[in-house]
Amino acid sequence: MTVSDDVLLARAYLLRVAEPPAPAVSRFVAEHGPVAAAAQIRAGEVSGAVAEETAARRAVWLAEQDVAAAGAVGARLLVPEDPGWPEWPLVALDVARARGVPWAGRPVALWVRGTAVLGECTERAVAVVGARSATAYGEHVAAEFGHGLAMAGVTVVSGAAYGIDGAAHRGALAADGPTVAVLGCGVDRPYPAGHASLLDRIAESGLVVSEYPPGTPPARHRFLVRNRLIAALAAGVVVVEAGRRSGTRNTAATAAGLGRLVMAVPGPVGSAMSVGCHELLRTGEANLVTTAAEVAESVGRIGIDLAPPAVEEQARETDGLDERALRVHEALHRRAGMSAEQVAVRSGVPQDRVRAVLPALELTGLAERCDSGWRRREVIGRR
């Protein structure tokens, strides 16, 4: 389906005229359609919250320039009229807004750079987030999760920041899986600058996504706003490392507000970067996960995405013995033979019982007769 230029330009204008999340503008567009809504806003024929959200920029029309600037870096405007729009994941924002959550505005459109289709990527997706000043432990876990989830066919969503985010993206890329980076600036502004090549790699097989028009600089409030998209586009959010007060905790709270499953990875008890995770676990705000398989099971399809069972402890050769037989077996030496009387004294088991147990242990291969009496028999390959 081809989207008309009028719709694309109207939505490009709306993304620039109203600073996200702009919930009033989002509702106004849903009620009137993008072309009519853009015309009324531009003409100043709106009031209330819509007028408040658009007053500062309503006269700024840069739609054609924004589309051209995006095209120059291989990006385009993805709109709800496009079949690749992630309709189902974004419903959570509508539900939260209906409950009175103030930040839960649905995006009017999204600027995307990359080869993947966002609607398809988010059919099975998990967000992996965490501290920028991550520890080596945290980055290792994030990379393992990113790789494991990608191998399971799950899209990894994150924010392309230093630390945990970057490690999760790299893990997914190492598995040749799709990954989605959601930015708090324009898609033509690689941020952080040190991740410019990482963002290029993400765009080769996945997507770089932003609500903000090309040229928009990064800002702290924009990263907090984009966190709602990271949470909305994924079925669940995994917090790998986080301080007590951090943007990562904000993402976790946002995910919970959208009805998404929040998961956290435990870390060293003395690590400041694990304090946020431990707090989430202690208060019951998050489920504990330690592997990518556990994450996939937590948010996956019932009866399909099951984590492999824990490896059971290797069975001992003495597991089937009753209490007295076990005491007799433990009383035996490995090399020197012992008489039944000596075994009885050492084990505390009556002598007549010892005489009955020893042949039974011989039949099971746990004891053997020798010239000087009875001794324990070592079973090759078993403990």
Side-chain angles (χ1 to χ4, degrees), residues 290-336:
T290 59
T291 65
E294 291 175 358
V295 174
E297 179 182 81
S298 297
V299 301
R301 298 159 293 183
I302 297 175
I304 299 177
D305 298 313
L306 300 177
V311 177
E312 294 184 3
E313 184 179 353
Q314 183 179 355
R316 295 188 177 91
E317 65 270 18
T318 57
D319 280 351
L321 301 182
D322 62 25
E323 180 188 356
R324 287 189 173 184
L326 182 61
R327 285 163 58 187
V328 170
H329 178 264
E330 291 178 345
L332 296 172
H333 291 303
R334 287 184 170 84
R335 293 183 177 84

Side-chain angles (χ1 to χ4, degrees), residues 327-328 330-334 336 338 340-349 376:
R327 285 163 58 187
V328 170
E330 291 178 345
L332 296 172
H333 291 303
R334 287 184 170 84
M338 301 174 65
E341 292 81 356
Q342 290 173 316
V343 173
V345 171
R346 190 170 185 187
S347 66
V349 176
R376 188 185 304 183

Side-chain angles (χ1 to χ4, degrees), residues 214-234:
T216 303
R220 187 178 185 278
H221 72 273
R222 290 179 177 137
F223 290 110
L224 295 176
V225 169
R226 71 86 194 262
N227 287 347
R228 85 189 197 288
L229 294 183
I230 292 177
L233 293 174

Side-chain angles (χ1 to χ4, degrees), residues 137-379:
Y137 160 82
E139 291 194 8
H140 172 76
V141 170
E144 288 290 314
F145 275 37
H147 188 276
L149 289 168
M151 290 294 290
V154 178
T155 299
V156 176
V157 180
S158 198
Y162 289 132
I164 298 303
D165 291 16
H169 287 306
R170 291 189 185 95
L173 291 170
D176 294 322
T179 182
V180 174
V182 185
L183 305 184
C185 56
V187 292
D188 61 336
R189 298 283 298 264
Y191 185 85
H195 277 177
S197 60
L198 174 62
L199 289 167
D200 289 341
R201 290 177 59 205
I202 291 172
E204 289 174 3
S205 58
L207 285 170
V208 178
V209 178
S210 178
E211 277 183 284
Y212 298 100
T216 303
R220 187 178 185 278
H221 72 273
R222 290 179 177 137
F223 290 110
L224 295 176
V225 169
R226 71 86 194 262
N227 287 347
R228 85 189 197 288
L229 294 183
I230 292 177
L233 293 174
V237 172
V238 182
V239 181
V240 178
E241 284 190 322
R244 189 179 300 276
R245 297 181 62 185
S246 63
T248 302
R249 288 294 304 272
N250 171 268
T251 306
T254 299
L258 295 179
R260 300 298 194 239
L261 180 66
V262 179
M263 295 158 278
V265 178
V269 294
S271 172
M273 287 300 99
S274 289
V275 170
C277 293
H278 294 164
E279 184 72 10
L280 288 170
L281 294 170
R282 187 183 68 81
T283 58
E285 298 171 71
N287 291 353
L288 187 150
V289 290
T290 59
T291 65
E294 291 175 358
V295 174
E297 179 182 81
S298 297
V299 301
R301 298 159 293 183
I302 297 175
I304 299 177
D305 298 313
L306 300 177
V311 177
E312 294 184 3
E313 184 179 353
Q314 183 179 355
R316 295 188 177 91
E317 65 270 18
T318 57
D319 280 351
L321 301 182
D322 62 25
E323 180 188 356
R324 287 189 173 184
L326 182 61
R327 285 163 58 187
V328 170
H329 178 264
E330 291 178 345
L332 296 172
H333 291 303
R334 287 184 170 84
R335 293 183 177 84
M338 301 174 65
S339 66
E341 292 81 356
Q342 290 173 316
V343 173
V345 171
R346 190 170 185 187
S347 66
V349 176
Q351 187 173 318
D352 59 341
R353 181 60 178 164
V354 169
R355 292 185 184 278
V357 167
L358 287 170
L361 292 177
E362 183 179 30
L363 288 174
T364 58
L366 296 175
E368 61 182 355
R369 298 175 192 269
C370 61
D371 294 340
S372 54
W374 293 87
R375 66 186 178 191
R376 188 185 304 183
R377 182 182 178 188
E378 292 297 334
V379 181

